[in-house]
Amino acid sequence: MKTLGAFVRRDFLEQNRYGPFWIGRLGSLFLQVFSTFFTAQLFNGNPALTPYGGNYFAYALVGTLTLQLLVVTMAALPGAVYYAQTQGTLEPLLTSPTPIGAILVAASSFGILTELVGMVLFAGVAWVVDPGVFAQVHWGALGFLLAVHGLCGWGWD
């Protein structure tokens, strides 16, 4: 657990060196929610959406959230290894007494954790824009799918 905390702290401090990074992340989040909302307005009332509750915004948001988590979890581990290679820290990490599996999980965890926080903010902004957006979401199935994607991204497939 100390290894995980050390890696998360390191990555957090590294991201905070560049202040506009977080502003860009938040701006991107708001832009994505609002563009999805206004695009969904084009499809409202479409008879093809009737079996799905007629709410394209909810459909698009769940798909977007799932895709974001899938992409981040699949890219986190290779990205962490690539970053360690380019910074010259991979060899010292691999020769340390810490198990390799713990190093790889800890090195990729910051990206996944920040994406999870981003997903919660994304869903919160979407709920503010349209309070009924998640009324028809099957939370159990969504939680299961997100957990499977998350675990596969960390290599537990």
Side-chain angles (χ1 to χ4, degrees):
M1 199 59 155
K2 290 190 324 187
T3 305
L4 178 65
F7 274 90
V8 169
R9 183 175 184 273
R10 177 200 69 175
D11 292 340
F12 178 76
L13 291 174
E14 218 164 275
Q15 292 296 333
N16 279 341
R17 285 187 198 164
Y18 183 64
F21 171 79
W22 298 108
I23 295 169
R25 289 278 309 232
L26 284 174
S28 165
L29 183 136
F30 281 103
L31 184 64
Q32 192 172 14
V33 169
F34 289 121
S35 65
T36 304
F37 176 75
F38 290 117
T39 303
Q41 300 308 309
L42 296 172
F43 296 105
N44 280 348
N46 189 339
L49 292 174
T50 304
Y52 308 105
N55 191 349
Y56 182 75
F57 186 48
Y59 173 78
L61 285 179
V62 170
T64 301
L65 291 173
T66 304
L67 182 64
Q68 282 178 338
L69 184 64
L70 177 65
V71 168
V72 166
T73 53
M74 291 185 69
L77 185 58
V81 172
Y82 174 76
Y83 179 77
Q85 283 178 326
T86 59
Q87 296 299 311
T89 59
L90 183 62
E91 290 81 10
L93 284 175
L94 295 178
T95 58
S96 73
T98 307
I100 293 174
I103 290 172
L104 294 176
V105 169
S108 64
S109 62
F110 181 75
I112 294 172
L113 290 174
T114 56
E115 187 61 35
L116 288 174
V117 169
M119 288 174 63
V120 169
L121 288 174
F122 185 87
V125 171
W127 183 77
V128 168
V129 170
D130 183 7
V133 69
F134 295 117
Q136 297 173 340
V137 173
H138 190 286
W139 292 105
L142 181 61
F144 174 75
L145 286 174
L146 293 178
V148 167
H149 286 313
L151 293 176
C152 288
W154 266 328
W156 294 323
D157 46 30

